[in-house]
Amino acid sequence: MFAALALLGCNNEPTPSAPTDLEAIGFGTVDTRADADLSTLKTDGFGVWAYISNSAQQNYLLMENQLVKYENGSWVYSPLQYWLDNTEFSFIAVYPRGAYSYNEENKAIELSVSNTPSVTDYLMATNTTDTSVEGFSTTVDLQFKHMLTSVGLNIWRDGGKHQNDQMRIKSVTLGNIIKSGVYSSATESWTNNNNDKLALEKVYENFSDDDNIGAATMENGSLTTGGIAASPFGQMMLLPQTLDDSNVVSLKIVYELKRQNAADWEESELETVLPNITWNAGQRYTYNVVLSSVTDITVYYIQTKVDPWGTPQVGGTVIIK
């Protein structure tokens, strides 16, 4: 068993009593869903908060944004902290270190995001180790997860109706997206500012007569594509949020169509909303919008593809509107 730690009287802070048989807390397997994320962690390191709870202490903060870095094939930190008998240790690991803060009142780690799409990929991992359990691991394993959601938009022309026609996108606007919020480890959830929203706009310029977005056809719920779609925003890192009747994300597409053997381009537009769904943290949402124009009316459907963020994009849940 591990030696107990002596308690210093008035401030009640645990301090190693320095016997030689104390075993230091180590960090073992650190994993993510993507090799690129793990490489970033190894290069930059990450921060760790650790709490302990036992008969003498409740939620004592043992580590505060402690830097853990990768050196010579191991995860290391300094100064070392030590295991205690009959104690529950709760670890919260975060990346990047400087983005997270400690809320003393709530005894929680918080992440405040004020403006998305984010250029920072926020990651978090948790681990709870109870030293009263026989055979517990003396190294802390961490599985990092994305704190944000990944959203992308692809626009195609209808390959059935416009196989021999040309279509080009003039502008795309996504509106009414919640852009700021606070995550708390105490509730393990986001509290978003529903009054702070943004609109994203992409305007395409300098067209040529050779411009033509790729074609897509839908059969039995399966989307078959050819060519290159218009992807105005790439994959965006956004706040997790629920799209419903009280929080709609609007979509406006202005496009031009040149029918086979026609001399001129016809301009049309689509105004709609994205299907109701919850954008969960750590998930990738890809919207495939397929457009066709019939007697000045835009006909469309939206395929929503949902996959875990960071795994190969095969299969996934598909929702058709």
Side-chain angles (χ1 to χ4, degrees):
M1 296 296 292
F2 299 106
L5 299 188
L7 298 179
L8 291 180
C10 60
N11 60 12
N12 207 30
E13 292 185 356
T15 302
S17 55
T20 58
D21 59 348
L22 283 175
E23 185 157 354
I25 299 170
F27 292 91
T29 301
V30 174
D31 197 12
T32 67
R33 284 176 171 167
D35 291 340
D37 297 328
L38 183 56
S39 177
T40 298
L41 289 176
K42 287 183 175 180
T43 299
D44 297 343
F46 54 88
V48 173
W49 273 268
Y51 303 86
I52 61 172
S53 294
N54 56 27
S55 59
Q57 299 284 330
Q58 291 297 316
N59 292 326
Y60 172 78
L61 187 60
L62 184 67
M63 294 183 184
E64 185 172 4
N65 205 17
Q66 170 68 58
L67 173 63
V68 178
K69 53 188 178 180
Y70 195 74
E71 291 183 351
N72 301 318
S74 299
W75 295 98
V76 298
Y77 69 99
S78 179
L80 293 177
Q81 300 291 346
Y82 296 86
W83 295 106
L84 290 139
D85 282 334
N86 300 314
T87 300
E88 182 178 88
F89 288 73
S90 299
F91 299 91
I92 303 175
V94 297
Y95 175 87
R97 290 178 69 225
Y100 298 77
S101 60
Y102 176 60
N103 186 313
E104 173 68 31
E105 180 179 356
N106 297 328
K107 303 294 184 185
I109 307 305
E110 293 184 346
L111 168 63
S112 180
V113 176
S114 60
N115 195 18
T116 54
S118 175
V119 297
T120 302
D121 188 2
Y122 300 101
L123 302 170
M124 180 179 287
T126 59
N127 177 292
T128 299
T129 299
D130 187 346
T131 62
S132 66
V133 176
E134 185 176 356
F136 75 91
S137 174
T138 57
T139 58
V140 178
D141 295 333
L142 298 170
Q143 172 70 61
F144 279 87
K145 298 179 180 179
H146 297 280
M147 301 297 293
L148 299 180
T149 185
S150 177
V151 179
L153 175 68
N154 300 321
I155 305 171
W156 308 87
R157 76 181 193 280
D158 190 319
K161 294 182 177 66
H162 298 301
Q163 180 62 43
N164 298 314
D165 300 335
Q166 291 176 269
M167 184 179 290
R168 61 192 186 190
I169 306 301
K170 294 191 69 176
S171 66
V172 182
T173 306
L174 272 177
N176 211 42
I177 301 171
I178 299 172
K179 71 174 185 177
S180 62
V182 177
Y183 178 88
S184 173
S185 64
T187 60
E188 297 183 347
S189 64
W190 285 91
T191 301
N192 290 339
N193 183 350
N194 294 330
N195 296 317
D196 189 15
K197 298 187 177 183
L198 64 87
L200 302 170
E201 184 179 29
K202 169 71 174 182
V203 177
Y204 292 84
E205 299 176 324
N206 302 319
F207 290 120
S208 74
D209 282 343
D210 294 328
D211 289 326
N212 192 26
I213 62 173
T217 56
M218 175 66 70
E219 185 175 352
N220 298 324
S222 178
L223 192 71
T224 301
T225 62
I228 299 175
S231 301
F233 309 113
Q235 284 293 141
M236 302 171 288
M237 291 186 285
L238 300 174
L239 283 178
Q241 54 197 278
T242 296
L243 280 56
D244 56 25
D245 293 342
S246 63
N247 182 47
V248 298
V249 171
S250 60
L251 171 64
K252 180 178 180 180
I253 303 172
V254 179
Y255 67 96
E256 290 183 324
L257 178 68
K258 187 175 183 182
R259 301 182 188 276
Q260 187 179 23
N261 299 322
D264 300 318
W265 292 83
E266 308 166 9
E267 182 173 309
S268 299
E269 67 178 48
L270 166 68
E271 289 195 62
T272 186
V273 298
L274 295 185
N276 289 350
I277 196 172
T278 296
W279 291 346
N280 291 310
Q283 296 290 100
R284 184 190 302 269
Y285 299 83
T286 304
Y287 292 93
N288 288 298
V289 182
V290 183
L291 300 176
S292 63
S293 180
V294 181
T295 60
D296 297 329
I297 298 175
T298 297
V299 179
Y300 73 99
Y301 57 85
I302 299 176
Q303 179 204 56
T304 309
K305 188 166 179 286
V306 187
D307 290 285
W309 182 357
T311 59
Q313 301 303 295
V314 177
T317 301
V318 175
I319 303 168
I320 305 297
K321 178 180 179 181

